[in-house]
Amino acid sequence: MRILLLLLASLTALPALAKDQPIYVTRHYDTPAGERDPDLLPAGKARAERLGKLLAGKRIATIYVTDYRRTRQTAAPLATRRGIPVETYDPRDTSGIVARAKAATRPVLIVGHSNTVPDIVEQLGGTRPAELAHEDFGDLWTLRGGKTGRVKVAP
């Protein structure tokens, strides 16, 4: 009976543990200005490779990208290296991607855009970043337990 009670207590703790999983958010990396669906520039490709190495040891379960080349290319090195599934989301549906990320039981990466990342970070409970200009590439936010971390991914 005692073992059964311990087992039940540990199972009820699982959802609480899942809520403490980090969520990583980044904007797609370096692109030329003024193009609708550009490929990453060489600096963006180098930064994406660096992101793949930086997050290689994390237990990321899913990578969420929009249906644009630049977001898919930003996520590709990590997804390929680790065999992580890539799922698309609608960049106009911030609440939808936030709900999917919050429901995850393992860490996830969201790759967004200059006009979506501040809202995503804020709706995930983080400190809202300043609006992003075209030149603002390379920031990676980590949201965990109500805290926000931010590092710069160098090319």
Side-chain angles (χ1 to χ4, degrees):
M1 183 67 156
R2 185 178 194 169
I3 293 173
L4 181 60
L5 288 174
L6 287 172
L7 179 61
L8 287 174
S10 66
L11 288 176
T12 58
L14 286 177
L17 291 174
K19 298 289 184 213
D20 198 33
Q21 294 297 324
I23 298 171
Y24 302 96
V25 180
T26 194
R27 177 195 178 194
H28 65 79
Y29 293 145
D30 313 63
T31 57
E35 294 183 32
R36 175 151 166 65
D37 192 13
D39 289 312
L40 294 181
L41 293 169
K45 291 176 184 176
R47 205 182 297 267
E49 287 292 334
R50 184 96 168 197
L51 176 70
K53 291 176 184 171
L54 180 68
L55 296 180
K58 307 299 182 193
R59 296 182 31 216
I60 295 175
T62 307
I63 300 171
Y64 296 108
V65 300
T66 60
D67 198 18
Y68 290 91
R69 288 193 302 249
R70 58 193 178 269
T71 58
R72 290 191 306 269
Q73 291 171 5
T74 297
L78 177 63
T80 301
R81 177 179 284 121
R82 294 271 319 284
I84 299 171
V86 176
E87 296 181 17
T88 59
Y89 72 94
D90 183 345
R92 297 166 298 190
D93 185 13
T94 302
S95 60
I97 189 57
V98 166
R100 288 166 74 182
K102 285 182 173 181
T105 58
R106 289 186 39 211
V108 299
L109 169 65
I110 301 170
V111 182
H113 301 270
S114 61
N115 62 338
T116 64
V117 165
D119 289 337
I120 292 169
V121 169
E122 182 178 46
Q123 288 185 31
L124 285 169
T127 303
R128 182 184 179 83
E131 296 303 313
L132 301 175
H134 175 75
E135 309 75 40
D136 295 328
F137 297 111
D139 291 311
L140 174 67
W141 289 266
T142 303
L143 299 112
R144 183 180 196 148
K147 296 185 180 183
T148 308
R150 183 175 172 180
V151 296
K152 191 71 147 181
V153 179

